[in-house]
Amino acid sequence: VVPTQALNATDYARGVMRLCVCVTWMVACRVGLLIVSPLTLFSRSLSARVRKRISRAWIAGVTRLIGTRITVKGTPPQAPFFIVGNHPTWIDLFAFLTLLDPTPIVEAPLRRVPIVGPLIGGLQPIWIHRRKEDTARVVERVHEAIVEGKSIVIAPETPVTTIVPVGS
């Protein structure tokens, strides 16, 4: 995407401020997960529900904070459903997670990303390793989720990769 005009100082400052607010929100949600982690000692199901609520608040907050406006045309699907996002960005995935309550299929390396990994984990995703040997396990987990009445969302074109600078 190429901007149609150069950014002025006000636009740049607004972008930096928005980024700072998003990072602060993300850290606050991660701290929230840490605070409620002892709930697991008393009730795993209650802990999972609270963690999911915090993680969904994180997704909805970031979606709003980056200025995303979501327009719904038609009636959202009733659970169980299976949605496949068709874009190499996370914006559509964030929109689905904000509007609906699906179980996301997420690439396993994201587990290890500081701050974000635990927040994604709070959504109770199906973690996937992009290997042929993992296919049967993922299909079984998707089947179990749908039988339980849960919905699934995946954006298969969102690989986590290492960016290697040209000339390296």
Side-chain angles (χ1 to χ4, degrees), residues 124-135:
Q124 301 162 8
I126 296 172
W127 298 103
I128 185 170
H129 299 274
R130 291 180 183 255
R131 309 188 290 264
K132 189 165 108 175
E133 300 82 22
D134 199 33
T135 304

Side-chain angles (χ1 to χ4, degrees), residues 107-128:
E107 198 169 7
L110 286 174
R111 266 186 173 152
R112 296 187 304 268
V113 175
I115 301 174
V116 174
L119 288 165
I120 293 170
L123 297 169
Q124 301 162 8
I126 296 172
W127 298 103
I128 185 170

